[in-house]
Amino acid sequence: METIGLQQEAAIEKLYHWTIGACLIVDSPNNALVPKALAKFENRQVLFGNIIDEYCNARKAIVVQLFIDALTKEEENGSKPIEFYANDAKRYIGDILAWVYQIIPQEKENLCTLLKHCTLPDKEEKITEALTNIMEALCPLLNVRAELILKPDKDPLILWSITNLILYYEDIIKAIISKGHMVDTLSELSRKSEEVFILTLDSKIQKELSHGVKAPPSDLNPSVVVTDLVSFLRELMNVSNTHKTDKKIIITHILDPLLHAINETACHLSSSDMSVYMLNCIYHIQCTLSLYTILDEYNERLQAQSEAQIDTLTSEQASYLVANLNMGPIYTMLQEKIDGPLSAIPGMDTTSLKSFLNKFDMFLVTPHLYMLPQLNLLISQTHKLFVKKRAFEVILAIYEQLYQAVNEPSNGYMDPQLIVRRTPDEVKKLLM
């Protein structure tokens, strides 16, 4: 029995060395004897572990060489090596990450073949551990090449595309290898990439706005720098795989300084011009943000600014109407407490009121002639209609007070129905 035992140990040792030797050969995954031999060591965990380690070390060297070949050597079908596209940063990083991703299932399949005769309860775990171990060999090369690309001299849009490529491959590789040096490397690269992107983004925005936003054109449409930056924002937002948090960061870094610059420019304009220009700029931005529903919070901020400008413009329009219709003195006298009949006061007598109401009738027929010229420069038809409606409400309120005062017997107007021939409801229908 002792002799048989010694012979078995000798045979195991011989099989062990043969198996390790076989694992070091490049085509070891295709050797049908290796999986059978490995299965004999299931109950000898130390030897089993050593064989797996040697296999992993051998595959590391092979995978690294395959990666270097993919980077530097032209394929048999004439395809250019990856390094050939080093000047195209997005394609270069994309090709590298795609190569890394496609080699993972190949190596996993090799490991599954290697352990196919094993019946270990934790076989899947051991396969994943071994796969993680093999893929670690690519991390230094991946790091070096990525860091050569991730420089602040690149266009922010390219850097953002690269960041999203890294994030994409990080997610899909995590589905196969949930932890380990490869996942940590990709995570660190995505962090570095985003940092460089933010740095270049801030630099671009600062450069674009270094001289402020130029005075708006005569039509009060958004300036060129505004449309360019909003268009650039849309390009960034349309990069696939952009997360909700990332989009908020991008918007903050672009729109906050842009809105500040717009405000500074608008401050040098007249009140009406300022409101119209601000509304046009905000509307242009809102149209872009409306494509991304997750940004409701920022849209609310813009809406609050928009409403403030609408209030200002409504006040300007109402004042313009009151002045052009000569309603100011009438409104003032209607508010004052006067002893005696209102009809006895100069400017409120029947003749004066009839003159005013003739002009008011002309306004009711052609209200567009009494609008602020700037109102027609609003891009948003909704803004335009809203300002007109609210301004007309002010005029209607004054007319209603006048109507009541004329029809009040104590004010001494004879035949009031011949003075104010239209009821407030009739005026409302004409204006609204």
Side-chain angles (χ1 to χ4, degrees):
M1 289 295 290
E2 186 177 343
T3 302
I4 293 172
L6 290 172
Q7 289 175 341
Q8 283 181 334
E9 289 300 319
I12 287 290
E13 186 175 351
K14 188 174 181 180
L15 182 62
Y16 171 70
H17 288 296
W18 178 89
T19 306
I20 285 181
C23 286
L24 300 179
I25 300 172
V26 173
D27 67 345
S28 60
N30 299 320
N31 190 332
L33 295 176
V34 176
K36 292 179 180 179
L38 183 61
K40 302 300 180 184
F41 296 95
E42 278 193 90
N43 296 324
R44 296 171 181 265
Q45 289 300 308
V46 174
L47 298 179
F48 183 88
N50 289 343
I51 294 170
I52 294 295
D53 287 343
E54 290 297 330
Y55 173 84
C56 289
N57 290 334
R59 292 308 301 175
K60 280 181 178 180
I62 293 167
V63 167
V64 167
Q65 189 57 54
L66 288 171
F67 185 48
I68 292 172
D69 289 347
L71 288 170
T72 58
K73 291 183 179 180
E74 187 173 307
E75 294 182 16
E76 293 179 1
N77 62 6
S79 297
K80 300 293 184 183
I82 294 174
E83 293 284 3
F84 182 80
Y85 301 101
N87 289 327
D88 184 347
K90 183 181 174 182
R91 175 167 183 172
Y92 182 64
I93 290 293
D95 287 352
I96 286 175
L97 293 172
W99 189 93
V100 171
Y101 176 65
Q102 62 88 23
I103 202 69
I104 292 173
Q106 293 178 27
E107 290 304 314
K108 185 174 183 179
E109 185 179 348
N110 290 340
L111 285 163
C112 290
T113 301
L114 184 67
L115 275 70
K116 68 180 179 179
H117 295 304
C118 297
T119 57
L120 296 165
D122 59 347
K123 185 164 74 171
E124 284 300 321
E125 186 179 330
K126 287 192 178 298
I127 289 172
T128 302
E129 286 176 0
L131 183 61
T132 303
N133 190 4
I134 293 169
M135 296 312 297
E136 284 178 358
L138 294 174
C139 294
L141 290 168
L142 186 58
N143 250 327
V144 169
R145 274 150 182 82
E147 288 182 358
L148 286 172
I149 294 298
L150 299 177
K151 301 289 185 183
D153 59 344
K154 301 286 186 303
D155 183 91
L157 184 59
I158 290 174
L159 285 168
W160 186 236
S161 297
I162 289 172
T163 301
N164 277 271
L165 270 174
I166 297 171
L167 287 168
Y168 169 73
Y169 280 103
E170 181 187 351
D171 286 344
I172 60 176
I173 287 173
K174 266 184 181 179
I176 307 170
I177 307 172
S178 60
K179 58 184 179 180
H181 194 37
M182 173 58 74
V183 171
D184 292 343
T185 297
L186 291 172
S187 180
E188 180 63 16
L189 286 178
S190 64
R191 185 190 64 79
K192 285 182 181 177
S193 184
E194 187 161 340
E195 283 181 357
V196 177
F197 161 69
I198 293 296
L199 185 67
T200 57
L201 178 63
D202 287 344
S203 176
K204 176 183 173 67
I205 302 303
Q206 186 177 4
K207 183 179 178 181
E208 293 281 347
L209 300 175
S210 58
H211 302 297
V213 176
K214 291 183 180 179
S218 57
D219 61 4
L220 298 179
N221 275 343
S223 306
V224 174
V225 68
V226 176
T227 56
D228 285 350
L229 285 179
V230 172
S231 178
F232 175 64
L233 169 64
R234 185 165 53 248
E235 288 182 296
L236 288 174
M237 300 291 282
N238 287 337
V239 172
S240 60
N241 201 41
T242 303
H243 295 199
K244 178 178 178 180
T245 304
D246 294 329
K247 286 182 176 178
K248 287 184 177 179
I249 291 171
I250 291 170
I251 283 178
T252 300
H253 280 262
I254 294 178
L255 291 189
D256 282 359
L258 177 58
L259 286 169
H260 178 72
I262 291 171
N263 270 302
E264 286 190 340
T265 300
C267 286
H268 300 291
L269 304 173
S270 67
S271 181
S272 298
D273 284 356
M274 174 183 174
S275 293
V276 171
Y277 178 62
M278 287 292 295
L279 282 169
N280 284 343
C281 288
I282 292 170
Y283 179 73
H284 184 66
I285 294 169
Q286 283 180 311
C287 286
T288 295
L289 295 191
S290 65
L291 302 172
Y292 314 99
T293 54
I294 60 169
L295 303 171
D296 290 341
E297 184 180 331
Y298 205 96
N299 253 324
E300 287 176 7
R301 287 175 56 189
L302 291 174
Q303 188 59 32
Q305 292 186 47
S306 182
E307 287 172 2
Q309 297 303 328
I310 286 174
D311 287 344
T312 301
L313 192 57
T314 298
S315 177
E316 291 286 326
Q317 177 61 74
S319 298
Y320 186 79
L321 286 173
V322 168
N324 278 276
L325 293 171
N326 295 322
M327 294 183 83
I330 293 174
Y331 176 72
T332 301
M333 284 183 273
L334 288 172
Q335 305 308 308
E336 292 178 356
K337 291 184 177 179
I338 298 170
D339 295 329
L342 198 60
S343 59
I345 298 173
M348 292 298 290
D349 57 277
T350 300
T351 302
S352 298
L353 287 184
K354 282 185 176 181
S355 176
F356 158 72
L357 289 166
N358 285 335
K359 187 173 185 179
F360 190 76
D361 281 343
M362 291 178 63
F363 160 67
L364 294 178
V365 175
T366 56
H368 60 280
L369 298 177
Y370 295 80
M371 295 295 104
L372 280 170
Q374 294 93 329
L375 203 63
N376 291 320
L377 301 180
L378 284 170
I379 297 174
S380 168
Q381 194 66 21
T382 302
H383 287 162
K384 188 185 300 184
L385 293 174
F386 191 67
V387 170
K388 285 173 65 176
K389 179 177 179 293
R390 286 177 57 181
F392 287 163
E393 285 172 353
V394 173
I395 300 303
L396 183 60
I398 297 174
Y399 180 82
E400 191 168 358
Q401 289 182 45
L402 177 62
Y403 182 85
Q404 290 172 353
V406 171
N407 281 279
E408 172 59 46
S410 62
N411 284 323
Y413 290 103
M414 300 294 291
D415 299 320
Q417 68 276 7
L418 297 177
I419 301 173
V420 283
R421 289 168 292 182
R422 301 183 193 273
T423 66
D425 285 341
E426 289 171 340
V427 172
K428 184 176 182 180
K429 285 179 183 179
L430 289 169
L431 289 179
M432 303 298 182

